[in-house]
Amino acid sequence: MRRHFGHQNWWPGRTRFEVILGALLTQNTSWANVEKALANLRQARALSPEKLTSLPAGRLARLLRPSGYFRQKTRAVQGFLRHLNNGYQGSLARLLRRPTAELRAELLALSGIGEETADSILLYAAGRPVFVIDAYTRRVLARHGLASAQARYDELQSFFERHLPADPALYNDFHAQLVAVGKTFCHRERPDCAACPLGVELERSHARA
Ligand code: SF4
């Protein structure tokens, strides 16, 4: 995958706070739409926890509108900020210093943050060795006979974490490569296995079956 796509240099974001906002906003929408919302926040000079906290909810919602489901996402961003301000005096550095399991549990307890979002924050903002599972990863594993299509999130995550060294840089680009495969070749209908860099692996898995 790396040979085909090159390093993906994830996660797009100039600061750890931007990475977190991107993770909160990218649910159920394209990255292009997230970029529009982030550009709105940048233009409003609101890309910091302090500035964003001071924005009234209505204005924040208008700025986030391009990311879709913007009311839900406004609540998720505000919930995250409330947690940061109440528990960590607004210090992202203090929050991101928490032990991995505790930080994950704290994030999952917040509204609008599921496992994929929490793990994206842990890996891409906090640099923890936590493998992120998304729909593309699930599809690739199932099609290659490596996991059941109904496998739970934690089962898929432990599959990767059992087989790979606990290296955040490796997990970072591995997940990004799987997303590139999913977007480019492993379509829901009619996957383009002949052109896909994982096509050889698929043939091997068929030969083993
Ligand atoms: S070879 Fe590529 S396109 Fe085909 S199933 Fe595997 S990941 Fe999907």
Side-chain angles (χ1 to χ4, degrees):
M1 292 187 288
R2 173 82 66 83
R3 264 199 303 275
H4 184 90
F5 293 110
H7 197 288
Q8 296 295 291
N9 298 310
W10 271 30
W11 178 294
R14 298 182 193 179
T15 64
R16 295 197 292 182
F17 188 56
E18 275 194 43
V19 170
I20 292 170
L21 286 177
L24 293 173
L25 298 178
T26 198
Q27 300 174 65
N28 302 311
T29 196
S30 69
W31 185 254
N33 290 335
V34 175
E35 281 184 330
K36 287 179 198 157
L38 290 175
N40 282 349
L41 295 176
R42 187 167 295 114
Q43 203 171 21
R45 299 184 186 285
L47 270 176
S48 71
E50 311 78 55
K51 297 274 174 52
L52 218 47
T53 300
S54 67
L55 282 187
R59 176 146 162 72
L60 178 58
R62 280 195 296 282
L63 295 170
L64 298 184
R65 192 178 198 113
S67 68
Y69 301 95
F70 63 96
R71 288 192 187 85
Q72 272 167 255
K73 290 180 182 177
T74 300
R75 282 196 293 278
V77 169
Q78 288 189 312
F80 176 81
L81 289 169
R82 207 172 306 118
H83 184 67
L84 182 68
N85 291 326
N86 293 345
Y88 300 91
Q89 296 162 318
S91 167
L92 209 51
R94 283 184 59 194
L95 172 70
L96 296 180
R97 273 204 298 273
R98 297 278 287 147
T100 302
E102 290 164 32
L103 180 52
R104 189 175 196 268
E106 281 182 31
L107 292 170
L108 286 174
L110 299 176
S111 157
I113 298 190
E115 290 182 295
E116 184 184 339
T117 305
D119 289 340
S120 297
I121 292 171
L122 287 167
L123 176 60
Y124 292 104
R128 305 300 170 81
V130 173
F131 205 92
V132 177
I133 302 299
D134 72 339
Y136 293 127
T137 306
R138 186 177 281 283
R139 189 182 300 158
V140 171
L141 286 187
R143 283 179 171 167
H144 285 250
L146 294 168
S148 140
Q150 282 75 43
R152 293 191 318 268
Y153 184 100
D154 62 300
E155 291 172 333
L156 300 179
Q157 184 173 54
S158 84
F159 172 82
F160 283 99
E161 294 183 358
R162 272 199 324 273
H163 289 91
L164 295 172
D167 176 356
L170 174 66
Y171 287 11
N172 174 323
D173 198 49
F174 207 131
H175 172 61
Q177 297 289 340
L178 286 167
V179 172
V181 160
K183 280 186 174 162
T184 316
F185 300 109
C186 203
H187 312 297
R188 198 194 308 259
E189 311 285 341
R190 296 208 222 141
D192 187 0
C193 300
C196 177
L198 294 182
V200 175
E201 288 302 322
L202 187 65
E203 280 171 22
R204 281 192 197 132
S205 75
H206 286 161
R208 280 195 302 270

